[in-house]
Amino acid sequence: MGVTIGAFGKFSDGREVNLYTMENKNGMRVSVANIGAALVRVEVPDRQGRLADVVLGFDRAEDYLVNGCFFGVVIGPNANRIGKAAFTLDGATYSLAVNDGINNLHSDRNLGWHKRFWEASVGEESVTFRLEDRPGSMGFPGAKTAEVTYSLNDRNELQLNYHASSDQRTILNLTNHSYFNLEGHDSGSIEGHELWLGAACYTPADAGSIPTGEIARVKGTPMDFTARKRVGAEIDAEFEQLQFAGGYDHNWVIDNWDGTLRHFATVRAPMSGRVMEAYTTLPGVQFYAGNFIEQETGKGEAVYRYRGGMCLETQYFPDSANKPAFPSCFFGGERVYDSVTVYRFSAE
């Protein structure tokens, strides 16, 4: 069906931000924008064929320049947390913004790639966003270039292809921070959603959400989603990891990771019948249940609240830069960053 382009507002420097909409033969529509390479809308049918937008977000580019919850945006150069906001690479220590207690979260709240203008190029069924970042930006070494391509096919698969490089060794760990609510973005809590995760282990974290370095089995704990269960079934259990994070906000270790595309999650919305299967080439996924969403006005004047959306942020593990036993997030020179994440939608 091709890609249509519409106005979406202005960037902070006055540049026009566009909304690029892809549609397939089934009527599924996906809209993305230059600001933060944001995934703005994902409209998919329920079991009755009725379309609803299933991602939280905003109707104007200007709101994405605030966006304290990181709705829909691409995070980079490093997603998630780095302990004590510093890391050492090749004998040099690099200091980052201290913006999450004593730690660093999502690179920089104001300068990170989620608030940058990405140049767009349009294909027949895809949109590619490109960004260049200067050496030393936000404290990370290297001049970096990144591309994110969104594509939609007639199997109702939304595919995200990431590619990034640097002229010197640095951290490259990109993710998309979309919040999904398969009943509709404006339908309230996701605690009734059912989740399966292909992950027998996770990385326990301290009270600041920095992994301890342990890779622990989920069996016998509320972290176990190896059999499908409601998100809300054990989210408030008296379990230290959940109490630290106010619910689920942890990294799961994807089973049998080898860099190939693997099915790691299935989400079901019982009322609408919508199903989302998720696949990635990456070793981890941050399942975040929206524990820190404060009342916020989103698309169509919808009011988003606590646990109103859930994230499945594919990634290298949090604090990998300081955990040599974790899969390495150091790239640059000969080692180019490439990853694929796919969200496939259906109804039952």
Side-chain angles (χ1 to χ4, degrees), residues 173-292:
N173 183 19
L174 284 69
T175 198
N176 179 281
H177 207 295
S178 285
Y179 291 70
F180 295 96
N181 188 323
L182 299 186
E183 305 289 13
H185 74 100
D186 54 355
S187 62
S189 174
I190 47 78
E191 291 181 52
H193 283 46
E194 297 172 348
L195 174 65
W196 168 85
L197 288 174
C201 297
Y202 77 110
T203 53
D206 64 19
S209 293
I210 301 299
T212 62
E214 179 188 6
I215 292 178
R217 299 194 69 81
V218 300
K219 188 174 182 180
T221 78
M223 314 304 279
D224 190 354
F225 286 89
T226 56
R228 184 174 83 188
K229 72 178 180 187
R230 280 193 315 108
V231 169
E234 298 181 283
I235 197 169
D236 294 317
E238 290 187 9
F239 183 70
E240 185 178 60
Q241 287 294 304
L242 295 177
Q243 292 171 336
F244 279 164
Y248 295 111
D249 188 10
H250 298 77
N251 172 72
W252 271 257
V253 178
I254 293 171
D255 291 341
N256 304 313
W257 175 67
D258 61 1
T260 61
L261 192 67
R262 290 192 173 276
H263 177 205
F264 70 88
T266 299
V267 184
R268 287 178 166 82
M271 289 188 292
S272 66
R274 293 188 185 90
V275 178
M276 182 178 79
E277 298 167 89
Y279 304 77
T280 192
T281 60
L282 291 166
V285 57
Q286 187 86 3
F287 163 43
Y288 170 48
N291 311 311
F292 300 105

Side-chain angles (χ1 to χ4, degrees), residues 33-39 72-75 113-118 150:
N34 305 90
I35 172 70
L39 180 58
V73 286
V74 170
I75 308 293
W113 292 356
H114 66 288
K115 289 202 176 166
R116 295 279 298 276
F117 186 96
W118 295 62
Y150 293 92

Side-chain angles (χ1 to χ4, degrees), residues 40-42 53 55-59 185 297-302 304:
V40 176
R41 298 176 190 151
V42 177
D53 184 357
V55 293
L56 278 60
F58 303 107
D59 287 324
H185 74 100
T297 301
K299 291 177 285 190
E301 300 301 313
Y304 303 142

Side-chain angles (χ1 to χ4, degrees), residues 327-348:
S328 176
C329 62
F330 291 128
F331 291 86
E334 296 289 315
R335 191 177 187 217
V336 173
Y337 175 95
D338 280 294
S339 75
V340 179
T341 294
V342 178
Y343 300 108
R344 181 179 182 273
F345 296 89
S346 59
E348 60 182 25

Side-chain angles (χ1 to χ4, degrees), residues 12-342:
S12 53
D13 61 7
R15 276 182 288 181
E16 297 286 342
V17 176
N18 288 325
L19 190 69
Y20 305 85
T21 300
M22 297 167 276
E23 183 174 354
N24 68 12
K25 69 178 184 181
N26 308 314
M28 178 178 166
R29 291 191 294 263
V30 172
S31 299
V32 293
N34 305 90
I35 172 70
L39 180 58
V40 176
R41 298 176 190 151
V42 177
E43 298 170 86
V44 294
D46 65 6
R47 64 167 65 95
Q48 307 297 331
R50 295 171 297 204
L51 285 179
D53 184 357
V54 297
V55 293
L56 278 60
F58 303 107
D59 287 324
R60 311 180 315 138
E62 290 81 356
D63 291 324
Y64 284 93
L65 291 169
V66 182
N67 196 11
C69 289
F70 303 91
F71 292 137
V73 286
V74 170
I75 308 293
N78 183 70
N80 217 307
R81 293 172 175 86
I82 294 178
K84 297 181 180 177
F87 65 96
T88 300
L89 175 60
D90 298 335
T93 298
Y94 298 90
S95 296
L96 309 172
V98 180
N99 63 6
D100 188 58
I102 63 170
N103 305 312
N104 175 267
L105 174 65
H106 296 331
S107 301
D108 192 292
R109 289 185 184 273
N110 296 313
L111 304 175
W113 292 356
H114 66 288
K115 289 202 176 166
R116 295 279 298 276
F117 186 96
W118 295 62
E119 299 290 346
S121 58
V122 176
E124 286 187 14
E125 298 175 343
S126 66
V127 181
T128 297
F129 294 105
R130 189 173 192 273
L131 176 72
E132 294 185 1
D133 207 8
R134 60 177 177 79
S137 174
M138 295 173 275
F140 295 91
K144 295 166 283 293
T145 302
E147 290 186 347
V148 181
T149 299
Y150 293 92
S151 56
L152 175 65
N153 64 29
D154 288 333
R155 296 184 298 278
N156 284 7
E157 292 171 338
L158 170 61
Q159 181 163 314
L160 285 68
N161 288 69
Y162 301 84
H163 176 84
S165 60
S166 173
D167 63 355
Q168 69 182 95
R169 289 233 299 160
T170 192
I171 294 175
L172 290 170
N173 183 19
L174 284 69
T175 198
N176 179 281
H177 207 295
S178 285
Y179 291 70
F180 295 96
N181 188 323
L182 299 186
E183 305 289 13
H185 74 100
D186 54 355
S187 62
S189 174
I190 47 78
E191 291 181 52
H193 283 46
E194 297 172 348
L195 174 65
W196 168 85
L197 288 174
C201 297
Y202 77 110
T203 53
D206 64 19
S209 293
I210 301 299
T212 62
E214 179 188 6
I215 292 178
R217 299 194 69 81
V218 300
K219 188 174 182 180
T221 78
M223 314 304 279
D224 190 354
F225 286 89
T226 56
R228 184 174 83 188
K229 72 178 180 187
R230 280 193 315 108
V231 169
E234 298 181 283
I235 197 169
D236 294 317
E238 290 187 9
F239 183 70
E240 185 178 60
Q241 287 294 304
L242 295 177
Q243 292 171 336
F244 279 164
Y248 295 111
D249 188 10
H250 298 77
N251 172 72
W252 271 257
V253 178
I254 293 171
D255 291 341
N256 304 313
W257 175 67
D258 61 1
T260 61
L261 192 67
R262 290 192 173 276
H263 177 205
F264 70 88
T266 299
V267 184
R268 287 178 166 82
M271 289 188 292
S272 66
R274 293 188 185 90
V275 178
M276 182 178 79
E277 298 167 89
Y279 304 77
T280 192
T281 60
L282 291 166
V285 57
Q286 187 86 3
F287 163 43
Y288 170 48
N291 311 311
F292 300 105
I293 301 174
E294 296 182 0
Q295 184 168 315
E296 185 147 15
T297 301
K299 291 177 285 190
E301 300 301 313
V303 177
Y304 303 142
R305 294 184 172 89
Y306 176 67
R307 295 181 181 162
M310 57 182 285
C311 303
L312 293 171
E313 304 158 59
T314 54
Q315 61 177 9
Y316 285 89
F317 305 166
D319 203 35
S320 290
N322 294 313
K323 302 287 192 298
F326 287 177
S328 176
C329 62
F330 291 128
F331 291 86
E334 296 289 315
R335 191 177 187 217
V336 173
Y337 175 95
D338 280 294
S339 75
V340 179
T341 294
V342 178

